[in-house]
Amino acid sequence: MRIAANYGLQKTPMVIRTALPATWPAPMPDEKLRRELTAGSGDNAKLVFAGGAFSPVRCGAALLDAMRLLPPHYSLIFSGMADTGPAAMTVHSEADRRGLAGRVRIVGHLPFDRLMQVMASSDIGILLYPDDGFGNYHQAPGRFTEYLLAGLPFVTSNFPSLQAPAEQYDLGIACDPTDSRALASAIESLGARTEDRSAGR
């Protein structure tokens, strides 16, 4: 009701959650794919999966700034965008400007099952949105359940709908999505948590 009143709507809007069904098959890590994605990052490589394209809507600049603060064995993966062309050139230019050459990869547009394999082969998920409007603040993103199915702990925005389940069920860490130092700290904390998971591959 408050939503309708605040925005002058005649009716309270319907919210349709995006989520994988419980019966969806869990993806399996792909060792060959992981070796390709971690090439040059060392034996203790950490793959951070951004789960979307480089964009202000996903706090891309703050995420790159956070990566700059992390050790060199952390690398970042963007998906949902072409791996060549102007957008990809922008990503690599922004990464190079921050001294992240070779630590940012784009996997391109993948079939959904292959995309899930990339998630399952990674170490940390990213689920960030800026506090710039009603839609972003009240997110119920599909990647939330995709990360759960892939067994991927994630860093997310400190908004109630994301922070509460992340903290209550120890799924990840919520922080200010625009604070690169907070993001780096959260990523590194999850990286430490995934040592056993990586060792068990």
Side-chain angles (χ1 to χ4, degrees):
M1 294 298 291
R2 285 184 59 193
I3 295 172
N6 289 345
Y7 288 87
L9 306 177
Q10 293 182 356
K11 294 181 180 179
T12 300
M14 180 184 294
V15 176
I16 301 174
R17 296 183 62 84
T18 54
L20 287 177
T23 55
W24 197 277
M28 298 299 295
D30 184 317
E31 290 298 332
K32 180 182 177 184
L33 174 63
R34 182 175 172 85
R35 285 195 298 272
E36 292 172 359
L37 293 172
T38 59
S41 299
D43 294 335
N44 60 343
K46 294 293 179 186
L47 287 177
V48 181
F49 183 79
F54 176 80
S55 165
V57 176
R58 291 197 167 97
C59 305
L63 182 56
L64 288 181
D65 287 340
M67 291 298 298
R68 188 167 53 93
L69 302 173
L70 290 167
H73 63 277
Y74 281 80
S75 57
L76 179 63
I77 301 169
F78 287 107
S79 65
M81 61 185 296
D83 53 3
T84 59
M89 290 177 61
T90 296
V91 172
H92 292 302
S93 173
E94 290 293 321
D96 291 351
R97 188 168 62 81
R98 292 169 171 84
L100 296 171
R103 293 177 56 192
V104 176
R105 297 168 174 83
I106 301 170
V107 294
H109 296 286
L110 299 176
F112 186 70
D113 57 345
R114 188 59 168 167
L115 183 67
M116 291 294 291
Q117 272 193 321
V118 175
M119 291 185 201
S121 304
S122 299
D123 298 291
I124 300 156
I126 298 295
L127 196 58
L128 300 178
Y129 300 93
D131 184 5
D132 63 358
F134 175 82
N136 278 339
Y137 189 78
H138 293 281
Q139 274 282 352
R143 277 175 301 142
F144 188 97
T145 53
E146 291 168 11
Y147 286 167
L148 292 184
L149 192 62
L152 201 59
F154 54 84
V155 176
T156 191
S157 300
N158 56 349
F159 305 160
S161 61
L162 297 172
Q163 183 170 3
E167 293 183 349
Q168 181 176 352
Y169 300 106
D170 197 26
L171 305 175
I173 298 174
C175 64
D176 180 346
T178 64
D179 184 337
S180 58
R181 292 190 179 278
L183 290 173
S185 176
I187 292 169
E188 198 159 23
S189 293
L190 291 183
R193 279 194 210 176
T194 60
E195 291 297 335
D196 291 340
R197 182 173 182 262
S198 297
R201 282 197 165 95

